[in-house]
Amino acid sequence: MAEYTIEQLRERTRGPVYTESDDGYDEARKVYNAMIDKHPRVVVRCLNAGDVMATVAYAAAHDLDLAVRGGSHSVPGFGTCDDGVVADLGAMNNVRVDPITQTARAGGGATWGDFNAATHAFGLATTGGIISTTGVGGLTLGGGIGYLDRGLGLSCDNLISADVVTADGRFLIASEKEHEDLFWALRGGGGNFGVVTALEFRLAAVDQIYGGPMLFEMSDAGAVLAGFRDLLHDAPEELGGFPGFQIAPPLPFIPEDRHGDTFALVVGCWAGELSEGEKQIARFREFAPVVAEHVGAMPYPALNSAFDALVPPGIQHYWKAAFVKELTDDAIQAHLEHAPGLPAVNSTVHLYPIDGACHRVPADATAFAYRDATFATVIAGMWPDPAQNEAGVDWVRNYYDAIAPHSESGGYVNFMAGDDQGRIQDNYKDNYSRLVDVKRKYDPDNLFHLNQNIAP
Ligand code: FAD
């Protein structure tokens, strides 16, 4: 294999291959987080599973680092590397819906925008992320949190099967019936086990939703967080959404003199009977007086793309994550101390509920271990100006240090920074040793190590 040359790689692949001397290399090496600026030896824009197999074989033959990229949203920049190989699946974004079986099959590089557009045509959806440009692959493999998870479970709970290229270049289909151990690990274990070239999902009837954002004064933020926490006890599972913090962008529904001010935020998404929506969303207004809101009936994909403009590609990102079993008053106090320091309009802190259908899946049924958490918190530091990096990163770290004593030791792998690798066992708790066993079986040499890594 040592004489597996770049020319042979070009011959074996249908998609373009970029090295430093090729036009388009600088575009091909770019990832979403502009803080990450790496120079891979080769980027393969894969078009099919065969291209992926050829790319994996090339990396293995030359003993090079291999980065896998789908939607490119990895905050630690796992979708690229210096002097290694990038398998970029971004062009494998086709989504096929079967309305009879209510299933959809997405290419390994599809985004939630691609997915929702395809399924919405049939009045169907599954749990996906809250931003349309995030990749289906990376999000689902880490678990998958979104508006619909209280009713439908995590994205990975809706996965029926995955097409996988493993480290030895084999193509496998993993499901409840075949390679069950691999299928178990893929549902939460991240990109540790292979390149997923297609994902098959179960869909549910979700068409128009009722929801949108509401802003509350920071002086009411404690009441908003506590109100949301308490509401979950008896809220129907069709009521999704999350509380958080947000600097007001210059949007027409927000009074002009409040643009740039920091607010407590609730985004709601009622995915049940539309006529019930107004009443369900009105429950948020009981937390405190609403300063501004943009709430109403809309197609589900409209809510899924409503905040895309706040997080365009090419800004700086540094994030940290924690799970809480109980959002205590002390934890809320820690939020109130640090949230007012949000460094830019792009930054946010969200507390995503993990309950309802997510809790009905046993903790050992998939790799995603925190079935007893009630919230997944993300401190998402994002700003356009690299000059803000030091102060922004400090803000995220200090915020995390303040909530950590009130949180579980593990966090959601998809919301974590590159310097969180030391938390890997905590992230998977009792599932960790089984994940190591699956890793040893499918990737004994740790070819897939650019991720929150489960070392063999
Ligand atoms: P990429 O950078 O392409 O991939 C990240 C890593 O995932 C890869 O390095 C690889 O290890 C793995 N991977 C991706 N695709 C494949 C594949 N086909 N086969 C094998 N491995 C693969 N998460 C949520 O749960 N809910 C949200 O609402 C949410 N919103 C987000 C919004 C923004 C703006 C951002 C930046 C992130 C958000 N996330 C959310 C986190 C998101 O789940 C992770 O960043 C995830 O890794 C993104 O996947 P990707 O395919 O876009 O990224």
Side-chain angles (χ1 to χ4, degrees), residues 143-372:
I145 294 169
Y147 293 116
L148 305 177
D149 64 30
R150 295 192 68 234
L152 302 181
L154 303 172
S155 307
C156 72
D157 298 333
N158 292 285
L159 193 65
I160 301 170
S161 72
D163 294 358
V164 190
V165 175
T166 48
D168 55 7
R170 274 188 303 161
F171 175 86
L172 305 176
I173 298 174
S175 71
E176 295 281 8
K177 297 200 185 86
E178 300 168 84
H179 306 289
E180 302 94 309
D181 51 354
L182 178 60
F183 188 57
W184 175 85
L186 289 174
R187 288 173 291 162
N192 273 284
F193 305 97
V195 186
V196 175
T197 55
L199 304 95
E200 185 190 1
F201 289 94
R202 197 173 302 116
L203 303 175
V206 177
D207 189 357
Q208 299 280 308
I209 58 90
Y210 193 97
M214 289 179 177
L215 299 180
F216 302 85
E217 297 292 0
M218 279 303 277
S219 52
D220 290 325
V224 171
L225 289 191
F228 196 99
R229 169 195 67 196
D230 297 343
L231 172 140
L232 287 181
H233 296 306
D234 67 348
E237 289 180 3
E238 297 95 323
L239 185 60
F242 53 88
F245 299 95
Q246 179 68 51
I247 293 176
L251 290 173
F253 78 91
I254 302 168
E256 220 174 302
D257 62 338
R258 302 304 306 275
H259 294 173
D261 289 355
T262 302
F263 290 95
L265 162 83
V266 171
V267 183
C269 174
W270 170 255
E273 205 48 58
L274 203 56
S275 56
E276 272 278 295
E278 169 70 56
K279 192 177 100 200
Q280 292 294 338
I281 293 291
R283 296 184 67 181
F284 300 144
R285 296 195 191 96
E286 290 165 18
F287 302 157
V290 175
V291 179
E293 63 173 65
H294 188 63
V295 166
M298 64 184 93
Y300 172 68
L303 184 60
N304 174 244
S305 52
F307 307 111
D308 289 4
L310 286 172
V311 287
I315 63 173
Q316 317 286 310
H317 293 250
Y318 182 82
W319 296 20
K320 281 205 178 287
F323 286 118
V324 291
K325 282 192 191 162
E326 198 191 335
L327 184 63
T328 61
D329 293 339
D330 288 344
I332 290 175
Q333 201 49 46
H335 282 284
L336 299 187
E337 276 160 33
H338 290 268
L342 277 172
V345 69
N346 319 88
S347 292
T348 195
V349 174
H350 291 167
L351 291 87
Y352 297 101
I354 306 274
D355 70 340
C358 307
H359 281 188
R360 286 195 291 278
V361 177
D364 62 356
T366 69
F368 186 94
Y370 272 94
R371 299 290 177 171
D372 52 354

Side-chain angles (χ1 to χ4, degrees), residues 32 68-75 78-79 89 108-109 128-131 133-139 141 144-146 191 194-197 311 317 319 352 382 412 414-415 450-451:
Y32 177 78
V68 180
R69 191 190 306 163
S72 185
H73 270 207
S74 166
V75 168
F78 292 140
L89 277 67
I130 66 146
I131 298 290
T133 51
T134 307
V136 172
L139 183 139
L141 296 176
I145 294 169
V195 186
V196 175
T197 55
V311 287
H317 293 250
W319 296 20
Y352 297 101
M382 302 180 264
Y412 176 40
N414 275 349
F415 289 160
L450 297 174
N451 42 47

Side-chain angles (χ1 to χ4, degrees), residues 18-30 38-43:
Y18 299 96
T19 63
E20 208 162 8
S21 54
D22 290 302
D23 287 348
Y25 171 79
D26 275 328
E27 203 45 46
R29 72 182 182 83
K30 244 187 225 163
K38 300 211 165 156
H39 289 79
R41 197 181 294 184
V42 53
V43 179

